[in-house]
Each structure stands twice: as structure tokens, then as C-alpha cells.
Amino acid sequence: MNQNDLAAMATQALISVLGGAASTATSQLIQDRLNHSARGRTALDGLSASPSDPNAQQDVQAALTDEISGDTEFSDRLALLLHASTQQTTGSVVITGSRLKHNQIALGPLTINNTPAGRMLLAVAIAFAIILLALAAYGGVRLINTDDTPSSQTTTQHDASDSNPAITASAAGTAAIRKMLPERSDVDAKLFPNAEAPAFAPATRIPVCQAVPECHRATSAGSVTYDGVEGTGNSAEFVLFAFPHAESAHLAYAGLTVNSRHPNHPKVQLAKRGEESQFFEYREQTYYSSDGSPDTDIPPELIGRYVFFRQGPFVAVVQQLGGDTVLRGPVRLLDMSAMFAGRIAKFPGR
């Protein structure tokens, strides 16, 4: 499937939703991507106002073609989701024969680029062929839901992995995640004196994961947060997901990084963590005009940094917020992410 065909299919999927069909993971991914650029937002607004307008459809298709041609990772993810939606049948999943060409892998009507990311997508295509979960919004600063509902409270029960120190990564449960999360002695107690108890919840309850269907395959997830002195806004949060194998972890990592792309979340090139990683800055518009609109003459203010990294079948997130982020630059996040990566690397079943 070439870029124009993929963009055309994506446009039709979007038109169906704008015309009244139920929102899907595919349509949400397309809308999120279009909203990342001025051209995309304009095209999306035009199509939303008049889904049957041929000119509006052409504008969206052209904008999507540019996005697809400039980002192989996005192209592969979009192709996989579109393929899943077209191949789904009642009670079964139809996957047609595959063939390998010079720089592309063709799976029936689906074509995936023959790159490391593309090959990993192909390796687990069957497992993800029925994923049509709706994407959720990022949902705030906290990466894990810490409300008072029973399902999100800190668990005190130990699973079978407590008695088996050589547990394999594919079976990693709450006890294994607990052992890998940073402890009080790992984090600067002067800057972050308030330590919350580790929290454990299904991956689908964690906002940063809710927005990425590939992340829902995590077998377990947990987080721990260390807060600064009241009034400083300083905090450090560590989140860890365990997956059945490295391939599914890679797909989740790729989905998380793609989903984080936003003008106020620019990528930054820092040190490598684990087998693959990406750092981001977190900026927020803090100045507004008298009419309530953002003051575009003043750039968004830096309020934090975060990193996603994958180590084998584990995907980790480290986020730092507050004034220390600005004063110290990325130094502390680099130190904390290196410490977290070291703890994960020591896990016996990795």
C-alpha cells in the first residue's frame, strides 16, 4: 500500500466517524496527528464542518500524505490499525498470506516498511489485529490514576512471583514490578522528602497507557511518586510496565512516543536509556490575554521533562516536574532515569 492509498483509507475512516459512526482507535490517531500541525488542524476543521465536501477531503488527504511520508513509525502504526479494522469479521480474524519484498513487507493488503520497527509490527500483527480500542486523552500531569477507588489503591497482596526470584519477564507481576521501582534511598530525600507508597493498577487504568492500544497488552504496571516540599511543585514519578515479550514492549514504546508528539512536548536529544529511549520537554502556556486566549507573544513555559525507555520486555517512564527542572536543566532527570534503568537491568528474568 503506497502513501497516497494509505492516506486515502485514513481519510475515509475519518469521514465515517465525522459522519456519525462510533469513534475508533484509528480515527482518534488520525485526528490527534492532524492536530499537531497548523495545516492539519485547518484541514480537520474544514472536514469536520463539511465531511462530504470533496475539497475538504482532499485537504485532509494531502495533509495525511505529508505526515505519512515524513514518519515511518506513524505510517506503520496507522497501516496496522487500518488493516485491523478492514479485516475484522464476526467471531474471527482474517489474516491473508504474506510476502517479503526488497524494502517492504506485504501482509495481504497491508504493507509495512522493512525496518526494525516495521518487522516488529509484523511479528505481532496477528496479536493486534483485533485492537480497536478508543484512544483516551492524556488526562493530566499524573501518569497513573491515584484516586480513592478500590481498583486504583495501592495493593498489599503478594502474587506468586514473591516466592520465585527467578521469575521470567513474561510472567512479571506486582511483586516483580515492586522490586524494580525506585526505593526511598534511590531518590534525593532533601529535594523530594515526601514518598508515596507504590501504586499498582491494570495498564488500562493508567492515563498515559490508555491513549495507546499497544500498551494495553502489559501484564502488570506500577508507579511510585516522590514529591518535593509543599509549594515548590517539585515531583518525580516512575512508572513501569511489564509485557509478555520484547516485541510487544517495543510496540507499546513506539505508541507512547508517537502519542506524546505535540508542539508543547518537544523531543530533546539526551543520553540513551535501555535499548531505545526518547526524552521530551513538557511546556505549558501560562500567559493569557484579557479575552482568555493564550498570549502567543510569550512562548510556553518549561514546567517539566520526561523520558520513555524500553529494556527488554519492560517499558519505563520517568517524569520530573517543578522549579528544579528549570534550575538544574536535564541533569537530575538523566540521573534518575539512569538509576531506574539500572534497577530494571538487574532483574533476573529480563
Side-chain angles (χ1 to χ4, degrees):
M1 186 187 303
N2 62 37
Q3 295 170 357
N4 291 331
D5 290 342
L6 184 58
M9 286 183 63
T11 301
Q12 290 304 312
L14 184 56
I15 291 171
S16 296
V17 171
L18 294 176
S23 178
T24 66
T26 307
S27 64
Q28 192 61 58
L29 173 65
I30 296 166
Q31 291 180 76
D32 288 346
R33 188 58 181 234
L34 289 172
N35 277 319
H36 286 176
S37 69
R39 180 188 182 188
R41 286 192 296 272
T42 299
L44 180 58
D45 289 344
L47 189 63
S48 299
S50 181
S52 61
D53 182 355
N55 291 329
Q57 295 175 8
Q58 290 176 6
D59 288 344
V60 166
Q61 184 172 334
L64 284 172
T65 299
D66 285 349
E67 295 290 340
I68 291 167
S69 63
D71 190 336
T72 300
E73 203 169 56
F74 169 68
S75 172
D76 288 343
R77 187 179 178 201
L78 178 61
L80 183 61
L81 288 174
L82 284 169
H83 180 65
S85 63
T86 58
Q87 291 294 308
Q88 187 181 34
T89 61
T90 303
S92 65
V93 176
V94 178
I95 299 293
T96 55
S98 63
R99 62 189 183 280
L100 178 64
K101 295 189 290 187
H102 293 295
N103 62 346
Q104 293 181 317
I105 300 169
L107 181 63
L110 169 65
T111 299
I112 295 176
N113 291 303
N114 188 15
T115 62
R119 288 191 294 272
M120 284 192 177
L121 277 170
L122 177 62
V124 293
I126 294 176
F128 286 101
I130 60 173
I131 290 179
L132 294 172
L133 301 174
L135 291 167
Y138 179 78
V141 169
R142 289 294 189 201
L143 297 175
I144 188 167
N145 187 350
T146 55
D147 61 24
D148 293 328
T149 57
S151 58
S152 65
Q153 288 179 341
T154 301
T155 178
T156 57
Q157 297 179 344
H158 296 271
D159 57 24
S161 61
D162 274 327
S163 59
N164 183 6
I167 182 174
T168 61
S170 63
T174 298
I177 293 291
R178 181 186 288 111
K179 292 173 184 176
M180 285 182 277
L181 288 173
E183 300 175 346
R184 172 70 278 182
S185 59
D186 295 315
V187 181
D188 189 330
K190 291 184 178 179
L191 183 65
F192 305 107
N194 304 309
E196 297 182 9
F200 304 92
T204 52
R205 290 189 59 82
I206 300 177
V208 72
C209 186
Q210 289 172 354
V212 180
E214 297 91 336
C215 189
H216 299 177
R217 283 180 57 82
T219 57
S220 55
S223 79
V224 63
T225 301
Y226 296 89
D227 290 320
V229 176
E230 187 175 353
T232 64
N234 288 325
S235 72
E237 186 171 14
F238 303 85
V239 183
L240 184 62
F241 302 98
F243 291 86
H245 38 63
E247 290 81 3
S248 55
H250 166 79
L251 280 177
Y253 164 81
L256 288 165
T257 55
V258 168
N259 191 65
S260 290
R261 292 178 186 174
H262 185 276
N264 286 353
H265 291 234
K267 285 183 177 182
V268 288
Q269 299 301 319
L270 298 174
K272 183 180 179 181
R273 294 289 177 261
E275 295 173 49
E276 50 188 337
S277 60
Q278 181 59 61
F279 286 80
F280 294 85
E281 290 183 344
Y282 177 35
R283 296 179 175 273
E284 191 171 275
Q285 183 58 259
T286 55
Y287 292 90
Y288 293 83
S289 303
S290 57
D291 62 358
S293 62
D295 186 344
T296 55
D297 292 332
I298 302 176
E301 181 181 359
L302 175 66
I303 64 172
R305 293 184 178 86
Y306 60 98
V307 58
F308 295 109
F309 66 88
R310 180 187 66 82
Q311 187 113 1
F314 300 103
V315 175
V317 192
V318 185
Q319 176 178 252
Q320 183 193 4
L321 301 172
D324 184 70
T325 307
V326 179
L327 294 175
R328 287 286 303 273
V331 174
R332 202 176 303 274
L333 180 61
L334 286 168
D335 290 343
M336 292 190 296
S337 59
M339 172 272 296
F340 196 15
R343 291 184 64 89
I344 297 170
K346 293 177 182 177
F347 180 63
R350 185 181 63 80

